[in-house]
Amino acid sequence: MNLLERIKALPSFLAGGYDGATWTRDRPMASWRGTMAVDEDRQIGSADRQTLRLECANLYRNNPIVRGAVERYADNVVGAGIIAQAKTSDENWNKEAERLFGEWSKVADYRQRVHLRQIQRMAVVSRMLAGESLYILTDGGQIQPVEADRLVTPQDMHTDPQVVDGIRIDRSGIILGYYIGNRDQYGRVDNTTTRYIRKENIIHVSAAYRPDQLRGIPELAPVVTTLADMDLLTKATLQKAKLDANNGVAIKTQEGAAKMPATGLRNNTPNAYKATDPQYETINGLRVYYIRPGEDIQSLASATPSSTYIPYNEFMLRLVGSSLGLPSEMLMLDFRQSSFSSNKAAMAQVYRTFVNWNYWLVESFMQRLWNWRIAKFIKDGQLSPAPIDDRGISEWYRVEWSQPDYSYLDPEGSIDAKMKEWNLGIGSISQFARLRGSDGDDALAAKVRDIQTAYRIADQANAQTPGLNLRWQDVIASLMPGQQPAPTEPPAGAVDAAG
């Protein structure tokens, strides 16, 4: 067998089927340098995780783009609050469960600081900046929010293979509990005095992207360096513009460089007195330079920022937006340069992003919170047992959750779409009402009350004015912008204006 035949006979794995797995001199690989074939939690480690959280928090405090993006997520994922709508077969039980849960929402915080709606917002903000948040279910029926940096491995358990960054697991990888560190008098987390919380008594809200992953990763992690570089560029550009603004005009003299003491009253505090010193002075905060005959300066006017500054930043914002699921127009709230069709496409993507986050928050946090609190209401005798379905299973867990109203993206189009969905039978009043934080049955009942009131008003008006023939529909239409009452027969005895 010659050399060529021996090369052809080499195992296929030496050939490299994908260019992405090939290490070249021009393109070094991240694998085995920054990325290892280990699980995500050991790949990042507690130290790097803490660094990421600190960097994200710093950007949130000081970077207007990050602050705006994070708050925009919280506003559109939570809105005015994600509200529970019980959906068992017993309407009276549903109303009582909703009432109890709504009242509890006002005092849900164990620390007595914020409403449940603010806790929902904190969960969204925490996913962006820390990757996760935790909530201890207390014996008293309240929840105790816990920041991600308090989830730590106890000092004497760092060698325990079944404790991974503060989380205890069994040999199969099933989570058993969490170690929560206390803060000392300086606000630092103390891993020498931790509290172990069984998994049944805590809600861990995160969004893992790998099956073996235990801890969350900040959503801002992929764009931390990009945002930090943009921040440095902005500061450097502003600093250069400030320095350029200090330079005024250049003055030529007939005999050479001007003698600073002989500059007269233009400057009371000359900067130079020797021929070797810089030949300039300051007038009203601007530097005035003296140059020799034959020398020239093209311009002392500032060219900072350059013409490429804004396009470069717009490009970087598109990179950031692609990671966060937000178009750059949404990040900057600037839609002037986009067409209607492109804005509509961008808003459709924004809607999908926010709805997915809303589902995540409901599934990972609110549903479990409802199950726990409603069960506790029943156990404590504050709520009767939930009805039983045909299979003999309690319906206490049956609940739907409101979503923020996204009709502001296209108000008229949203109404038209809902009307078409209703006519085609693919949409319901309950579905539409849920988008506004209400219940379908409640919305229909409110509509009935409105019609009854309008009917009564129309009857009273017709009794007072014989021949008026006012209908309840006319009363409703008079209260709606752009609506005109339907024409009615003129009252008896009325005279036409033309006759």
Side-chain angles (χ1 to χ4, degrees):
M1 180 181 295
N2 58 35
L3 179 61
L4 180 60
E5 291 173 340
R6 287 199 297 270
I7 293 176
K8 290 181 178 181
L10 288 174
S12 59
F13 67 82
L14 296 179
Y18 289 90
D19 290 342
T22 304
W23 190 312
T24 67
R25 181 173 57 185
D26 297 329
R27 184 182 56 78
M29 303 292 293
S31 59
W32 298 104
R33 292 192 304 116
T35 299
M36 304 292 290
V38 296
D39 62 71
E40 190 69 13
D41 299 290
R42 292 176 176 82
Q43 169 66 51
I44 184 173
S46 59
D48 284 355
R49 191 189 309 278
Q50 177 76 345
T51 299
L52 268 180
R53 288 196 295 258
L54 294 175
E55 289 294 325
C56 292
N58 179 67
L59 287 171
Y60 179 75
R61 295 188 186 102
N62 299 294
N63 189 301
I65 296 173
V66 173
R67 174 60 71 99
V70 172
E71 291 299 312
R72 216 151 293 140
Y73 262 86
D75 290 340
N76 288 277
V77 174
V78 175
I82 302 177
I83 303 171
Q85 300 163 6
K87 290 298 178 181
T88 73
S89 56
D90 186 338
E91 185 61 31
N92 292 329
W93 190 94
N94 293 343
K95 291 181 178 180
E96 183 62 13
E98 291 174 8
R99 185 189 69 80
L100 286 172
F101 193 82
E103 290 297 321
W104 172 80
S105 298
K106 302 174 184 178
V107 295
D109 185 5
Y110 172 80
R111 309 160 305 166
Q112 303 179 10
R113 297 181 185 176
V114 295
H115 189 279
L116 182 60
R117 184 178 75 88
Q118 278 76 39
I119 294 178
Q120 293 170 352
R121 289 180 61 90
M122 288 179 184
V124 175
V125 173
S126 295
R127 176 179 168 183
M128 295 290 290
L129 305 180
E132 59 194 346
S133 54
L134 301 101
Y135 305 89
I136 299 174
L137 310 177
T138 67
D139 293 337
Q142 295 174 298
I143 57 176
Q144 180 181 351
V146 176
E147 294 185 12
D149 60 343
R150 291 182 58 192
L151 180 56
V152 294
T153 298
Q155 190 177 50
D156 57 349
M157 295 185 183
H158 284 289
T159 58
D160 190 336
Q162 292 180 232
V163 178
V164 180
D165 213 352
I167 301 178
R168 177 167 287 282
I169 59 176
D170 65 12
R171 296 184 181 276
S172 301
I174 298 175
I175 295 176
L176 300 176
Y178 300 79
Y179 292 96
I180 307 299
N182 297 319
R183 293 194 184 276
D184 61 20
Q185 59 180 332
Y186 304 106
R188 298 171 301 195
V189 178
D190 183 6
N191 67 346
T192 63
T193 57
T194 59
R195 181 166 49 134
Y196 181 68
I197 309 294
R198 292 177 57 84
K199 69 173 183 179
E200 294 83 5
N201 299 322
I202 193 169
I203 301 178
H204 183 198
V205 182
S206 65
Y209 82 100
R210 292 179 62 179
D212 293 337
Q213 184 177 341
L214 295 172
R215 299 291 302 267
I217 305 296
E219 293 293 325
L220 290 178
V223 295
V224 164
T225 55
T226 301
L227 290 166
D229 288 343
M230 289 181 62
D231 202 30
L232 289 174
L233 175 62
T234 299
K235 290 178 180 178
T237 302
L238 180 60
Q239 184 64 27
K240 185 176 185 301
K242 288 180 177 180
L243 293 174
D244 290 349
N246 289 327
N247 296 323
V249 296
I251 299 177
K252 289 184 178 180
T253 64
Q254 295 299 321
E255 65 275 8
K259 302 296 184 181
M260 296 300 293
T263 56
L265 297 176
R266 287 198 308 270
N267 184 11
N268 293 327
T269 56
N271 290 333
Y273 294 91
K274 301 177 182 179
T276 56
D277 287 340
Q279 300 298 303
Y280 68 86
E281 59 178 327
T282 302
I283 302 177
N284 294 330
L286 295 178
R287 284 183 180 177
V288 178
Y289 290 84
Y290 295 85
I291 59 179
R292 298 178 183 279
E295 297 178 340
D296 195 6
I297 295 179
Q298 292 184 351
S299 175
L300 291 181
S302 174
T304 303
S306 69
S307 59
T308 62
Y309 175 76
I310 292 179
Y312 174 78
N313 275 281
E314 290 176 344
F315 171 74
M316 300 301 286
L317 284 175
R318 285 197 290 270
L319 293 181
V320 173
S322 66
S323 175
L324 300 180
L326 297 178
S328 58
E329 292 85 357
M330 190 69 175
L331 287 175
M332 299 298 293
L333 293 180
D334 183 3
F335 302 93
R336 295 173 299 174
Q337 305 299 322
S338 303
S339 64
F340 174 79
S341 58
S342 62
N343 279 337
K344 192 171 183 178
M347 291 302 99
Q349 173 59 45
V350 168
Y351 169 79
R352 178 173 298 179
T353 298
F354 292 149
V355 167
N356 287 338
W357 272 65
N358 179 272
Y359 287 153
W360 159 79
L361 189 59
V362 165
E363 293 170 356
S364 61
F365 183 37
M366 294 307 301
Q367 183 64 54
R368 186 176 173 189
L369 196 61
W370 168 273
N371 294 347
W372 168 73
R373 200 60 191 88
I374 292 299
K376 197 165 184 61
F377 282 137
I378 295 174
K379 181 180 178 181
D380 295 342
Q382 296 177 264
L383 181 66
S384 61
I388 305 298
D389 64 16
D390 296 337
R391 300 169 298 169
I393 299 176
S394 174
E395 299 179 350
W396 61 280
Y397 64 92
R398 292 189 176 179
V399 61
E400 292 181 353
W401 301 91
S402 66
Q403 289 181 344
D405 184 15
Y406 299 110
S407 60
Y408 70 88
L409 300 176
D410 185 6
E412 295 183 2
S414 177
I415 294 174
D416 292 340
K418 290 174 182 176
M419 292 177 63
K420 291 178 181 178
E421 289 178 9
W422 168 262
N423 291 330
L424 292 173
I426 60 176
S428 66
I429 295 295
S430 296
Q431 176 186 351
F432 303 148
R434 190 163 65 250
L435 296 176
R436 293 185 175 272
S438 63
D439 183 84
D441 294 341
D442 294 339
L444 290 173
K447 183 71 173 180
V448 170
R449 290 193 297 271
D450 290 342
I451 293 175
Q452 291 172 340
T453 301
Y455 193 90
R456 185 176 66 256
I457 293 174
D459 276 354
Q460 293 173 352
N462 290 329
Q464 295 172 359
T465 308
L468 181 61
N469 297 327
L470 185 67
R471 304 174 305 166
W472 68 265
Q473 294 94 329
D474 301 328
V475 176
I476 294 291
S478 67
L479 301 176
M480 300 177 63
Q483 296 292 324
Q484 298 294 329
T488 60
E489 294 294 331
V495 179
D496 185 78

